[in-house]
């Protein structure tokens, strides 16, 4: 069985077949998978077929020789599974904003298929969410450029006189072009059934969605996490106490502020 995602193109090539042996492709569910193109390449004596995945479901493809030919194709049938394309929560929702922040700030996403890395990245996302909530509930959001903050978005967009708390998010939903490009690249791989790392990227993106949507995770520190920076970056300030490094980020507690739960 082959697996594709809605919108994917599948190319099949059968070599060493003279053009006199005309091959045809038949799909039993053309509303799910359609034949876009079929042609013979005289230089390589090959038949090439191109299919378009239109919607989720199962389709059976039969490659057969035209009537009158003595050629037989084996296997003549291929089962193709089409999966629904992955999307992120809407940008104008709190969950959508948080998902995009988690994706942008997860420094190790390029190694999502490395052994053990996926679990660490998800835990890092959970710690990031705790930082956001701890700041919001601290009664001192002005410590984080967010005086008068009432919602998660106020913490994420926080900025003051040209300085920002989270690069590229101060004008959300107008995201930094580089962040948008990176997130789109992640989605492109997750929605490409022919990419060797597709499953790992699907898991990475789904973890961000789950972490942003699920009940607030437990804080690993009894005092509470209040910041993170890229590993080996300059400390956010003297009030921040290093707690632990996880998935490429250094997390901090605070010398004066404590979590509220």
């Amino acid at each position: 069985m082959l697996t594709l995602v809605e919108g994917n193109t599948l190319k099949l090539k059968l070599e060493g077949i003279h053009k006199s042996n005309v091959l045809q492709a038949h799909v039993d569910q053309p509303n799910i998978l359609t034949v876009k193109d079929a042609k013979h390449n005289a230089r390589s004596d090959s038949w090439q077929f191109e299919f378009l995945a239109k919607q989720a479901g199962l389709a059976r493809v039969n490659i057969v020789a035209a009537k009158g030919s003595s050629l037989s194709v084996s296997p003549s049938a291929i089962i193709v599974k089409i999966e629904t394309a992955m999307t992120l929560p809407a940008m104008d929702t709190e969950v959508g904003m948080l998902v995009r922040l988690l994706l942008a700030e997860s420094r190790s996403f390029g190694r999502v298929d490395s052994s053990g890395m996926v679990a660490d990245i998800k835990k890092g996302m959970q710690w990031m969410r705790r930082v956001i909530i701890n700041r919001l509930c601290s009664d001192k959001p002005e410590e984080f450029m967010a005086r008068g903050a009432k919602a998660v978005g106020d913490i994420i967009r926080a900025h003051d006189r040209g300085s920002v708390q989270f690069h590229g998010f101060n004008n959300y939903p107008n995201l930094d072009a580089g962040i948008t490009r990176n997130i789109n690249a992640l989605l492109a791989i997750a929605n490409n059934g022919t990419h060797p790392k597709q499953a790992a990227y699907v898991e990475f993106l789904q973890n961000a969605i789950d972490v942003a949507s699920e009940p607030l995770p437990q804080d690993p520190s009894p005092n509470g996490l209040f910041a993170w920076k890229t590993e080996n970056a300059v400390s956010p300030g003297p009030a921040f106490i290093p707690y632990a490094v996880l998935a490429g980020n250094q997390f901090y507690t605070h010398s004066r502020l404590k979590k509220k739960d």
Side-chain angles (χ1 to χ4, degrees):
M1 179 184 294
L2 297 176
T3 300
L4 299 175
V5 179
E6 292 172 319
N8 285 177
T9 296
L10 172 66
K11 294 183 179 181
L12 294 179
K13 183 178 181 181
L14 286 79
E15 297 183 325
I17 302 174
H18 191 267
K19 66 179 179 180
S20 61
N21 295 301
V22 179
L23 298 185
Q24 299 173 338
H26 300 291
V27 180
D28 68 341
Q29 300 290 339
N31 60 315
I32 293 175
L33 184 72
T34 187
V35 183
K36 290 182 58 181
D37 194 19
K39 60 185 178 182
H40 186 270
N41 185 322
R43 180 176 298 177
S44 60
D45 260 353
S46 63
W47 277 94
Q48 299 172 22
F49 298 90
E50 188 171 329
F51 302 88
L52 174 65
K54 299 178 68 176
Q55 63 181 31
L58 289 175
R60 179 187 178 96
V61 177
N62 289 92
I63 306 294
V64 299
K67 189 175 182 179
S69 173
S70 61
L71 183 71
S72 62
V73 180
S74 180
S76 62
I78 303 170
I79 303 299
V80 182
K81 178 183 179 183
I82 313 298
E83 297 180 342
T84 302
M86 192 170 202
T87 59
L88 299 183
M91 289 192 73
D92 61 353
T93 64
E94 182 178 289
V95 170
M97 182 191 301
L98 188 54
V99 165
R100 289 165 175 82
L101 179 69
L102 298 178
L103 293 175
E105 292 290 321
S106 293
R107 306 297 180 185
S108 301
F109 75 82
R111 294 178 285 163
V112 296
D113 60 338
S114 300
S115 176
M117 183 58 70
V118 170
D120 283 348
I121 292 175
K122 182 175 183 180
K123 185 185 293 185
M125 291 177 177
Q126 292 171 330
W127 288 14
M128 290 178 200
R129 187 176 172 202
R130 284 297 323 201
V131 168
I132 300 298
I133 299 303
N134 288 346
R135 290 184 175 191
L136 180 62
C137 299
S138 68
D139 297 329
K140 290 286 186 179
E142 59 269 24
E143 295 268 353
F144 312 102
M145 304 181 189
R147 183 178 298 276
K150 301 297 182 184
V152 164
D154 298 328
I155 299 297
I156 293 176
R157 293 189 187 96
H159 63 281
D160 181 40
R161 290 175 291 184
S163 296
V164 302
Q165 282 294 307
F166 300 106
H167 169 70
F169 282 82
N170 51 301
N171 291 316
Y172 189 92
N174 296 317
L175 269 178
D176 172 82
I179 293 174
T180 298
R181 186 166 53 250
N182 288 339
I183 291 175
N184 287 341
L186 296 174
L187 276 169
I189 294 176
N191 286 327
N192 182 358
T194 65
H195 196 286
K197 295 184 179 181
Q198 187 234 3
Y201 278 75
V202 167
E203 185 175 10
F204 175 58
L205 289 165
Q206 189 60 54
N207 281 343
I209 294 170
D210 291 345
V211 169
S213 310
E214 66 192 10
L216 186 66
Q218 183 176 355
D219 198 308
S221 167
N223 294 325
L225 299 177
F226 283 89
W228 75 82
K229 295 273 283 186
T230 305
E231 186 178 6
N232 298 322
V234 176
S235 167
F240 295 92
I241 303 169
Y243 175 75
V245 173
L246 181 63
N249 281 316
Q250 170 71 63
F251 288 83
Y252 298 83
T253 59
H254 199 278
S255 62
R256 291 178 284 102
L257 302 178
K258 309 295 179 185
K259 66 180 182 178
K260 293 295 185 179
D261 60 342

